[in-house]
Amino acid sequence: MSNTAYVIAVMFTACLCNFFSRVFPFLLFSKSDELPGTIQYLGKYLPPCVMAVLVVYCIKNITFTALSGFMPMLISIVAVVLLHLWKRNNILSIAGGTVLYMVLVQIVFA
Amino acid sequence: MNKKTFRYALVQTMPVMVGYLFVGAAFGLLLADAGYGLPWAASMALIVYGGSLQFALLPMIASHTSLVTVAVMSLSICSRQMFYGLSLIERFKKMGKKALYMIYSLCDETYSVLITDVPEDIDRQKFDFYVAALDMCYWVSGCSLGNLFGSMIPFDTTGVDFAMIALFVVICTEQWIGSKNHLPAITGAVCGLACLVVFGPDNFILPALAGSMLVLMMLKNKVEVTKDE
């Protein structure tokens, strides 16, 4: 197999696997007219739960051997929450937190 | 085209735009360094459409890893997405032909924007579609621009990918403020951290999601007692 053919094959393999994981719940429940009660319940209450797991997923690579391994992340996340509780402006909270994080990793804890 | 709804989708996806442009650019640049030009960067962004997945493909392509291994790796990286559709089945069903596109483009960031509430005067179906399409545009643009001009970025972009984490944190905070019952969020945080400690950073996401789903089912009586709204 030529390299071009190989890379194309890799792309479509990854594409199929990715799509499969996204379509999975729809394959399971698309046939039923009314969703089972448990699925309706999960559908409603799973999002906050999944978001919390996703945040953990984002910080999974922090280390505690040096301050620079966790302080920038910790400080910036706390800053985002506080900024958001204070002004409740998405863009401000996210931009503020990101700039702070960049300053922390590039200058303060470099 | 509903201008008001489009503008609202644009504002809501701004953080995704910042994150995707820079993270996409980082990917595009790595791809260029590996010897693959613009057509590859754009088509990979469009066809694979998965951040962490695309980064994982790079070393596999370089070492000509077998397609079976590529499939196993891809499935394990993407497995967390199996939990996203559960909350969107009814909504996507109403979208007819667009449903297939909505499922295809259901990445972490799009999911996180789709599960947030929108004001009364916003057309939910159109909003959902705009968000999915905009996010994809940002990602393809980021990967393509990074592939072409990545080496010319004049400032240090280290840490700019925090924008995506900040987006998730903001959505968590919003959900916390907006709901009376915090058990689902607490369940996710506790299960997530516990599984991270037990299984380590590379293998914790699936047990964490499956575990918190189980706990959430066991807590059904407690969660449903306090009605939101």
Side-chain angles (χ1 to χ4, degrees), chain B residues 31-81:
Chain B
L31 202 61
D33 290 343
Y36 298 91
L38 182 63
W40 289 109
S43 55
M44 217 174 264
L46 206 61
I47 294 168
V48 179
Y49 195 46
S52 43
L53 179 57
Q54 280 172 233
F55 279 98
L57 289 183
L58 288 171
M60 290 198 266
I61 287 174
S63 60
H64 268 238
T65 309
S66 79
L67 291 179
V68 176
T69 311
V70 170
V72 173
M73 288 291 289
S74 303
L75 282 174
S76 90
I77 292 167
C78 297
S79 56
R80 66 179 182 286
Q81 302 178 141

Side-chain angles (χ1 to χ4, degrees), chain A residues 3 6 18 22 41 84 106, chain B residues 48 64-65 81 104 174 216:
Chain A
N3 188 55
Y6 169 74
N18 200 3
R22 286 171 184 171
Y41 162 76
H84 200 69
Q106 288 183 21
Chain B
V48 179
H64 268 238
T65 309
Q81 302 178 141
Y104 177 74
E174 273 295 323
L216 210 55

Side-chain angles (χ1 to χ4, degrees), chain A residues 3 6-7 15 18 21-22 25-26 32 35 41 43 45 47-49 52-53 60 76 84 88 91 94 98 101 106, chain B residues 14-15 36 47-49 64-65 78 81-82 87 90 93 104 106 156 158-159 162-163 174-175 184 201 216 220:
Chain A
N3 188 55
Y6 169 74
V7 178
C15 170
N18 200 3
S21 69
R22 286 171 184 171
F26 298 93
S32 46
L35 289 176
Y41 162 76
Y45 293 101
C49 187
V53 177
K60 67 183 172 138
S76 309
H84 200 69
R88 252 189 124 173
I91 303 294
I94 291 162
T98 306
Y101 183 76
Q106 288 183 21
Chain B
M14 281 288 228
Y36 298 91
I47 294 168
V48 179
Y49 195 46
H64 268 238
T65 309
C78 297
Q81 302 178 141
M82 294 192 301
S87 311
E90 297 289 341
K93 228 186 221 174
Y104 177 74
L106 189 58
D156 187 355
T158 310
F162 183 82
E174 273 295 323
Q175 283 176 333
L216 210 55
K220 195 170 183 218

Side-chain angles (χ1 to χ4, degrees), chain B residues 150-163:
Chain B
S151 50
M152 289 154 66
I153 296 177
F155 61 95
D156 187 355
T157 58
T158 310
V160 76
D161 49 334
F162 183 82

Side-chain angles (χ1 to χ4, degrees), chain A residues 48-60:
Chain A
C49 187
V50 170
M51 286 314 297
V53 177
L54 264 183
V55 170
V56 178
Y57 181 71
C58 290
I59 62 165
K60 67 183 172 138

Side-chain angles (χ1 to χ4, degrees), chain B residues 5-36:
Chain B
T5 301
F6 184 77
R7 212 172 300 140
Y8 187 71
L10 203 61
V11 173
Q12 293 304 305
T13 56
M14 281 288 228
V16 184
M17 181 174 81
V18 175
Y20 272 16
L21 282 179
F22 284 100
V23 178
F27 172 81
L29 182 59
L30 285 175
L31 202 61
D33 290 343
Y36 298 91

Side-chain angles (χ1 to χ4, degrees), chain A residues 1-62 64 72-86 88-103 105-107, chain B residues 11-12 14-15 36 40 43-44 47-50 52-53 57 60-61 64-67 70-71 74-75 77-90 92-93 100 103-108 111-112 115 155-163 165-175 177-178 184-185 187-189 192-193 196 201-202 204-205 208-209 212-213 216-217 219-220 223-224 226 228:
Chain A
M1 188 157 34
S2 76
N3 188 55
T4 307
Y6 169 74
V7 178
I8 291 175
V10 166
M11 263 163 51
F12 281 96
T13 305
C15 170
L16 277 178
C17 295
N18 200 3
F19 182 70
F20 174 76
S21 69
R22 286 171 184 171
V23 81
F24 184 72
F26 298 93
L27 291 178
L28 283 184
F29 301 108
S30 64
K31 286 269 152 51
S32 46
D33 289 330
E34 179 118 346
L35 289 176
T38 313
I39 299 306
Q40 285 189 19
Y41 162 76
L42 281 177
K44 189 166 176 209
Y45 293 101
L46 207 50
C49 187
V50 170
M51 286 314 297
V53 177
L54 264 183
V55 170
V56 178
Y57 181 71
C58 290
I59 62 165
K60 67 183 172 138
N61 288 320
I62 58 169
F64 294 98
M73 188 64 85
L74 198 70
I75 295 171
S76 309
I77 287 180
V78 171
V80 171
V81 173
L82 292 179
L83 258 178
H84 200 69
L85 290 175
W86 178 38
R88 252 189 124 173
N89 176 323
N90 289 12
I91 303 294
L92 179 77
S93 314
I94 291 162
T98 306
V99 171
L100 175 65
Y101 183 76
M102 289 175 79
V103 170
V105 288
Q106 288 183 21
I107 300 165
Chain B
V11 173
Q12 293 304 305
M14 281 288 228
Y36 298 91
W40 289 109
S43 55
M44 217 174 264
I47 294 168
V48 179
Y49 195 46
S52 43
L53 179 57
L57 289 183
M60 290 198 266
I61 287 174
H64 268 238
T65 309
S66 79
L67 291 179
V70 170
S74 303
L75 282 174
I77 292 167
C78 297
S79 56
R80 66 179 182 286
Q81 302 178 141
M82 294 192 301
F83 295 82
Y84 297 172
L86 279 180
S87 311
L88 299 161
I89 294 172
E90 297 289 341
F92 284 6
K93 228 186 221 174
L100 200 62
I103 297 170
Y104 177 74
S105 58
L106 189 58
C107 57
D108 299 341
Y111 168 77
S112 68
I115 56 164
F155 61 95
D156 187 355
T157 58
T158 310
V160 76
D161 49 334
F162 183 82
I165 302 179
L167 171 68
F168 295 157
V169 172
V170 161
I171 289 166
C172 281
T173 313
E174 273 295 323
Q175 283 176 333
I177 299 168
T187 302
L193 288 171
L196 179 60
D202 294 329
F204 90 101
I205 188 81
L209 285 169
S212 44
M213 198 167 94
L216 210 55
M217 274 155 84
L219 294 174
K220 195 170 183 218
V223 172
E224 282 194 321
T226 39
D228 299 334

